[in-house]
Amino acid sequence: MKTFNAKINVTLKKSVLDPQGKTILEALHSLGFQDASDVRAGKHFELTLNANNEIDAQNRVKEMCDKLLVNPVIEQYEISIS
Amino acid sequence: MKVSVIVFPGSNCDSDCWHVMRDVMKCDVSYVWHKDHDLKNPDLVILPGGFSYGDYLRCGAIARFSPVMKEVVEYARRDGNVLGICNGFQILLEAGLLPGAMLPNRSLKFVCKHVWLRTENTGSTFTNRLKNGQVLRIPIAHGEGNYTASPDTLKELQDQNRIVFRYSSESGQVADEFNPNGAAEHIAGIMNEKGNVLGMMPHPERASEDILGSDDGRAIWESLLSCHSRESGNPATFSHR
């Protein structure tokens, strides 16, 4: 068993409107950042876990995402293991 | 009628539901703690509003894994009546008993006010005492009631007549300006395919007595009682207003 660090980025699917991102974009524009567009707000998780190898760790974190961390109706995710 | 109100850590409308079901509707009501496995053989399960588990992760996302939810899901699969109000609706979505998901309100603000709802389905266990298009005045109180679902799901809900309530004007006009949170199709409440699970963001338990400014929510309880009386062979006993 080795210890791995997992980082998970959760974002809203492209097809889902993001009220938070929209409001943040408006704030950026009002601060003079006219060059900004398409702000999407998301979530970031970090966790450590024990696994035999990196592939097992990846699969385990994917299970966590599918079961709890991510709502597949509106969200998508990316995992990085180190 | 026997009613069980599920209590999660962070539920805060459980007492309101209990009070209305017992004192106003004269039902036999029990609380069921989220760690219990016995639903106490109810005719109706209510998942009340509140902030279960502090709304951590996503509203309802952690409550759906509470021990009692296994029984609630089985109860619903056996055609038991389940009503999820506000956070209860969010829990039903997370548990997969109803389709779709909630986003933060379009305004990003917590909205707490009376709204008007147009009744879209009067054939259900929850709405059989209502008239088609009847407009109800019932309060909402939520930060995440911006209902969303895939276009296919929205079409299915519409085609199967499962959109039960829409936000509207006092006269029943449905338009963006009367939609308090940005919900798709102005959806305030939907039910499952079999019609025994209803989720709604507005709080009928806060609108069941005149003294609270509206008793329009009573029609939902009366519908349930009326169905229950028919099934049990006893005439409905609630008084007419």
Side-chain angles (χ1 to χ4, degrees):
Chain A
M1 283 280 192
K2 280 193 277 183
T3 301
F4 293 91
N5 294 310
K7 293 184 175 179
I8 306 149
N9 274 323
V10 182
T11 49
L12 284 174
K13 286 180 178 172
K14 285 274 173 281
S15 57
V16 174
L17 288 172
D18 179 3
Q20 211 180 161
K22 191 166 160 272
T23 305
I24 294 166
L25 177 63
E26 282 164 17
L28 285 172
H29 283 169
S30 74
L31 289 168
F33 296 104
Q34 306 301 339
D35 41 346
S37 62
D38 299 326
V39 175
R40 309 285 287 174
K43 282 185 200 137
H44 179 78
F45 300 99
E46 291 182 4
L47 61 93
T48 57
L49 76 162
N50 294 320
N52 288 325
N53 54 53
E54 196 172 323
I55 292 171
D56 283 358
Q58 176 91 23
N59 288 335
R60 200 71 182 145
V61 173
K62 190 173 176 302
E63 272 180 56
M64 295 178 198
C65 288
D66 294 341
K67 191 152 191 201
L68 177 66
L69 300 178
V70 177
N71 181 340
V73 178
I74 48 174
E75 295 171 329
Q76 57 195 9
Y77 62 92
E78 281 171 10
I79 300 168
S80 74
I81 304 276
S82 59
Chain B
M1 188 167 82
K2 285 181 71 177
V3 182
S4 289
V5 178
I6 312 291
V7 184
F8 299 95
S11 295
N12 67 4
C13 300
D14 42 344
S15 301
D16 308 51
C17 290
W18 192 85
H19 157 69
V20 166
M21 297 319 293
R22 191 192 68 160
D23 300 327
V24 181
M25 304 314 296
K26 312 296 180 198
C27 294
D28 178 3
V29 196
S30 308
Y31 286 124
V32 176
W33 179 236
H34 76 118
K35 284 189 174 166
D36 290 347
H37 285 284
D38 180 8
L39 290 181
K40 303 180 186 173
N41 194 28
D43 303 300
L44 169 69
V45 167
I46 300 179
L47 303 185
F51 301 85
S52 57
Y53 295 90
D55 277 350
Y56 293 163
L57 189 61
R58 295 178 307 275
C59 303
I62 301 188
R64 71 152 289 202
F65 292 108
S66 270
V68 75
M69 282 307 292
K70 196 166 165 273
E71 274 69 33
V72 172
V73 170
E74 274 169 23
Y75 176 77
R77 298 240 155 91
R78 291 197 315 267
D79 298 347
N81 294 322
V82 179
L83 172 62
I85 301 166
C86 198
N87 189 224
F89 185 8
Q90 294 164 337
I91 295 169
L92 291 175
L93 294 172
E94 285 283 346
L97 285 175
L98 291 172
M102 290 295 176
L103 292 168
N105 293 347
R106 187 170 44 182
S107 64
L108 294 186
K109 292 193 174 93
F110 190 95
V111 181
C112 184
K113 63 175 186 184
H114 278 80
V115 295
W116 300 98
L117 304 178
R118 191 175 78 186
T119 312
E120 307 284 78
N121 177 325
T122 55
S124 82
T125 307
F126 302 91
T127 54
N128 58 76
R129 301 277 296 182
L130 287 157
K131 293 190 188 73
N132 200 19
Q134 189 171 338
V135 178
L136 307 178
R137 184 167 176 267
I138 295 185
I140 54 167
H142 59 249
E144 299 205 13
N146 184 350
Y147 179 81
T148 188
S150 69
D152 287 349
T153 300
L154 289 172
K155 186 175 182 302
E156 201 176 280
L157 288 172
Q158 178 67 43
D159 291 350
Q160 298 175 351
N161 204 16
R162 288 164 53 195
I163 300 172
V164 180
F165 297 112
R166 278 194 166 94
Y167 300 109
S168 74
S169 70
E170 186 176 354
S171 63
Q173 186 198 346
V174 169
D176 217 33
E177 61 196 284
F178 309 116
N179 182 334
N181 50 30
E185 300 290 328
H186 311 284
I187 284 172
I190 54 169
M191 60 185 188
N192 65 346
E193 224 171 322
K194 288 194 289 187
N196 63 312
V197 178
L198 171 68
M200 61 189 293
M201 289 314 290
H203 287 268
E205 81 283 8
R206 295 189 191 179
S208 294
E209 293 155 284
D210 270 340
I211 197 170
L212 295 180
S214 167
D215 66 352
D216 289 0
R218 277 184 67 140
I220 293 169
W221 315 125
E222 287 172 356
S223 297
L224 283 155
L225 278 167
S226 152
C227 270
H228 177 254
S229 307
R230 234 176 309 155
E231 279 161 19
S232 59
N234 298 317
T237 51
F238 46 82
S239 57
H240 286 277
R241 281 169 284 157

